[in-house]
Structure formats: C-alpha cells, structure tokens
Amino acid sequence: MGCGACQGKGKCVQKDDMAEVLDKMIAADVIVMATPVYFYTMNAQMKTLIDRNMFSLYRNQNKEFYFIVTAADSSKRAMERTLDGFRGFTSCLSGAKEKGIIYGAGAWNIWRYQKKRCNE
C-alpha cells in the first residue's frame, strides 16, 4: 500500500500476519532469508516481505543475516542480482552483518530427476 502509517506507529496497520512476522524479526539476533531465483531475482513474496518491514527494522540494529538462494542455472552468477537485492535491503539497516550465503545452483536438474523417477 505504501501508506507510511508504520513510520509513525512503528507497526504495520494492515490486518494480516505481518505484525507477528515483524515482531519475530525484530526480536531475532539472526535472520535467514531464503528465496528461489526466478528470472534472476528474488520471488515476489520475499520482495513484499522486505518492502513491508523496512520501517520496523530501521530502529533495530546489529542483526546477522544469512542468505539462501536456489536457481535452475548451475552458475552462482545467475543468483548475484538476488544477492544484490538482499544487500540493498540490509544496507538500509544500521549494524546489519552478512554472515554467509548458501547457493542451491542447478535446482532444475534435481527437479527433472525427481520428475523422471516419479514417472517410472
């Protein structure tokens, strides 16, 4: 919505599960963000999570972040735009520290193998 109400209230005014998710993120010392990579970027759900919690996390500092990205492409290079998006988010947070990345490269090959086994 981009209503900005969270700037003054410190919480999202929309009536959904986001308030609970934000409270858990604020209380956490470590946050793991994971997404499949679609068309060289994070999925829509992850982008929405980032967009909706920015104001709430601005005042909470010194979080450690781990990123998990999976993609059909077998190259880590295919996932760099997604990592740039995560880093753009964490660069807005005071004291955020990137602690590690897990790459799930070549996920398409695993899916094709499982599909073949199920059809046998």
Side-chain angles (χ1 to χ4, degrees):
M1 287 178 29
C3 66
C6 54
Q7 285 180 307
K9 298 180 183 276
K11 296 228 178 226
C12 186
V13 296
Q14 293 185 57
K15 304 293 185 218
D16 59 15
D17 295 337
M18 192 60 178
E20 182 181 346
V21 172
L22 285 174
D23 287 344
K24 289 179 180 182
M25 290 180 79
I26 290 167
D29 295 324
V30 175
I31 296 174
V32 177
M33 302 182 86
T35 183
V37 175
Y38 298 138
F39 301 101
Y40 302 99
T41 192
M42 67 185 70
N43 67 9
Q45 293 86 350
M46 180 59 68
K47 181 64 172 128
T48 299
L49 174 77
I50 288 171
D51 290 346
R52 286 199 53 200
N53 78 45
M54 286 301 291
F55 291 115
S56 297
L57 286 180
Y58 274 151
R59 66 182 190 281
N60 294 280
Q61 302 176 11
N62 304 319
K63 305 269 184 217
E64 294 181 352
F65 284 84
Y66 292 84
F67 305 131
I68 302 172
V69 289
T70 62
D73 198 309
S74 58
S75 163
K76 287 183 185 178
R77 191 179 62 127
M79 295 175 253
E80 287 304 314
R81 286 185 189 161
T82 301
L83 293 170
D84 287 344
F86 282 145
R87 290 176 180 134
F89 166 60
T90 58
S91 71
C92 296
L93 306 175
S94 179
K97 298 173 193 78
E98 181 181 317
K99 300 298 281 185
I101 301 167
I102 296 174
Y103 293 92
W108 179 254
N109 295 326
I110 294 167
W111 178 82
R112 285 190 338 199
Y113 172 75
Q114 289 175 340
K115 184 177 177 185
K116 182 181 175 189
R117 277 189 44 201
C118 289
N119 290 332
E120 291 177 350

Coordinates of all heavy atoms in Angstrom, one line a residue, residues 3-33:
C3 N 1.4 3.2 2.5 CA 0.7 4.3 3.2 C 1.5 5.0 4.2 O 1.2 6.1 4.6 CB -0.5 3.7 4.0 SG -0.1 2.5 5.3
G4 N 2.6 4.4 4.6 CA 3.6 5.1 5.6 C 3.1 5.2 7.0 O 3.8 5.8 7.8
A5 N 2.0 4.6 7.3 CA 1.5 4.6 8.7 C 2.5 4.0 9.7 O 2.6 4.4 10.8 CB 0.1 3.9 8.8
C6 N 3.3 3.0 9.2 CA 4.2 2.3 10.1 C 5.3 3.3 10.5 O 5.9 3.0 11.6 CB 4.8 1.1 9.4 SG 5.5 1.5 7.8
Q7 N 5.6 4.3 9.8 CA 6.6 5.3 10.2 C 6.3 5.9 11.6 O 7.1 6.1 12.4 CB 6.8 6.4 9.2 CG 7.5 5.9 7.9 CD 7.7 7.0 6.9 OE1 6.7 7.7 6.6 NE2 8.9 7.3 6.5
G8 N 5.0 6.3 11.7 CA 4.6 6.9 13.0 C 4.3 5.9 14.1 O 4.6 6.1 15.2
K9 N 3.7 4.8 13.7 CA 3.2 3.8 14.7 C 4.3 2.8 15.0 O 4.2 2.1 16.0 CB 1.9 3.1 14.2 CG 0.8 4.1 14.0 CD -0.5 3.4 13.5 CE -1.6 4.3 13.3 NZ -2.4 4.6 14.4
G10 N 5.2 2.6 14.1 CA 6.2 1.5 14.3 C 5.7 0.1 14.0 O 6.4 -0.8 14.2
K11 N 4.5 0.0 13.5 CA 3.9 -1.3 13.2 C 3.0 -1.1 12.0 O 2.5 0.0 11.7 CB 3.0 -1.8 14.3 CG 3.8 -2.1 15.6 CD 3.4 -3.4 16.1 CE 4.2 -3.7 17.4 NZ 4.7 -5.0 17.4
C12 N 2.9 -2.2 11.2 CA 2.0 -2.1 10.0 C 0.6 -2.1 10.5 O 0.2 -2.8 11.4 CB 2.3 -3.3 9.2 SG 1.4 -3.3 7.6
V13 N -0.2 -1.3 9.8 CA -1.7 -1.2 10.2 C -2.6 -2.1 9.5 O -3.7 -2.2 9.8 CB -2.2 0.3 10.0 CG1 -1.4 1.2 11.0 CG2 -2.0 0.7 8.6
Q14 N -2.0 -2.8 8.5 CA -2.8 -3.8 7.7 C -3.1 -5.0 8.7 O -2.3 -5.4 9.5 CB -2.1 -4.3 6.5 CG -1.9 -3.2 5.5 CD -1.3 -3.7 4.2 OE1 -1.8 -4.7 3.6 NE2 -0.1 -3.2 3.8
K15 N -4.3 -5.5 8.5 CA -4.7 -6.6 9.4 C -4.4 -8.0 8.7 O -5.2 -8.6 8.0 CB -6.2 -6.5 9.6 CG -6.7 -5.2 10.2 CD -6.1 -5.0 11.6 CE -6.7 -3.8 12.3 NZ -5.7 -3.1 13.1
D16 N -3.2 -8.4 8.9 CA -2.8 -9.7 8.4 C -1.7 -10.3 9.3 O -1.5 -9.8 10.4 CB -2.3 -9.6 6.9 CG -1.2 -8.7 6.7 OD1 -0.5 -8.3 7.7 OD2 -0.9 -8.3 5.5
D17 N -1.0 -11.3 8.9 CA 0.0 -12.0 9.7 C 1.3 -11.2 9.8 O 2.2 -11.6 10.5 CB 0.3 -13.4 9.2 CG -0.9 -14.3 9.3 OD1 -1.8 -14.0 10.1 OD2 -1.0 -15.2 8.5
M18 N 1.5 -10.1 9.1 CA 2.8 -9.4 9.0 C 3.2 -8.9 10.4 O 4.4 -8.9 10.7 CB 2.7 -8.3 8.0 CG 4.0 -7.7 7.7 SD 5.1 -9.0 7.0 CE 6.5 -8.0 6.6
A19 N 2.3 -8.4 11.2 CA 2.7 -7.9 12.5 C 3.5 -9.0 13.3 O 4.5 -8.7 14.0 CB 1.5 -7.4 13.3
E20 N 3.0 -10.2 13.3 CA 3.6 -11.3 14.0 C 5.0 -11.6 13.4 O 5.9 -11.8 14.1 CB 2.7 -12.5 14.0 CG 3.3 -13.7 14.7 CD 2.4 -14.9 14.6 OE1 1.2 -14.8 14.2 OE2 2.9 -16.0 15.0
V21 N 5.1 -11.6 12.1 CA 6.3 -11.9 11.4 C 7.4 -10.8 11.8 O 8.5 -11.1 12.1 CB 6.2 -11.9 9.9 CG1 7.5 -12.0 9.2 CG2 5.3 -13.1 9.5
L22 N 6.9 -9.5 11.7 CA 7.8 -8.4 12.1 C 8.3 -8.5 13.5 O 9.5 -8.2 13.8 CB 7.1 -7.1 11.8 CG 7.0 -6.7 10.4 CD1 6.2 -5.4 10.3 CD2 8.4 -6.5 9.8
D23 N 7.4 -8.8 14.4 CA 7.8 -8.9 15.9 C 8.9 -10.0 16.0 O 9.8 -9.8 16.8 CB 6.6 -9.3 16.7 CG 5.6 -8.1 16.9 OD1 6.0 -7.0 16.6 OD2 4.5 -8.4 17.3
K24 N 8.8 -11.1 15.3 CA 9.8 -12.1 15.4 C 11.1 -11.7 14.8 O 12.2 -12.0 15.3 CB 9.3 -13.4 14.7 CG 8.2 -14.1 15.6 CD 7.6 -15.3 14.9 CE 6.5 -15.9 15.8 NZ 6.0 -17.1 15.3
M25 N 11.0 -10.9 13.7 CA 12.3 -10.5 13.1 C 13.0 -9.4 14.0 O 14.2 -9.4 14.1 CB 12.0 -9.9 11.7 CG 11.6 -10.9 10.6 SD 11.2 -10.2 9.0 CE 12.9 -9.9 8.4
I26 N 12.2 -8.6 14.6 CA 12.7 -7.6 15.5 C 13.4 -8.2 16.7 O 14.5 -7.8 17.1 CB 11.7 -6.6 15.9 CG1 11.3 -5.7 14.7 CG2 12.1 -5.7 17.1 CD1 10.0 -4.9 14.9
A27 N 12.8 -9.3 17.2 CA 13.3 -10.0 18.4 C 14.5 -10.8 18.1 O 15.4 -11.1 19.0 CB 12.2 -10.9 19.0
A28 N 14.7 -11.2 16.8 CA 15.8 -12.2 16.4 C 17.1 -11.5 16.4 O 17.3 -10.3 16.1 CB 15.5 -12.7 15.1
D29 N 18.2 -12.2 16.7 CA 19.5 -11.8 16.6 C 20.1 -12.1 15.2 O 20.9 -11.5 14.6 CB 20.5 -12.4 17.6 CG 20.1 -12.0 19.0 OD1 19.8 -10.8 19.2 OD2 20.2 -12.8 19.9
V30 N 19.5 -13.2 14.6 CA 20.0 -13.8 13.3 C 18.7 -13.9 12.5 O 17.7 -14.4 12.9 CB 20.7 -15.1 13.5 CG1 21.0 -15.7 12.1 CG2 21.9 -15.0 14.4
I31 N 18.8 -13.5 11.2 CA 17.7 -13.6 10.3 C 18.3 -14.4 9.0 O 19.3 -14.0 8.5 CB 17.1 -12.3 9.9 CG1 16.5 -11.6 11.1 CG2 16.1 -12.4 8.7 CD1 16.0 -10.2 10.9
V32 N 17.6 -15.4 8.7 CA 17.9 -16.2 7.5 C 16.8 -15.9 6.4 O 15.6 -16.1 6.7 CB 18.0 -17.7 7.7 CG1 18.2 -18.5 6.4 CG2 19.0 -18.0 8.8
M33 N 17.3 -15.4 5.3 CA 16.4 -15.1 4.2 C 16.6 -16.0 3.0 O 17.8 -16.1 2.6 CB 16.5 -13.6 3.8 CG 16.3 -12.6 4.9 SD 16.4 -10.9 4.5 CE 14.7 -10.7 3.9

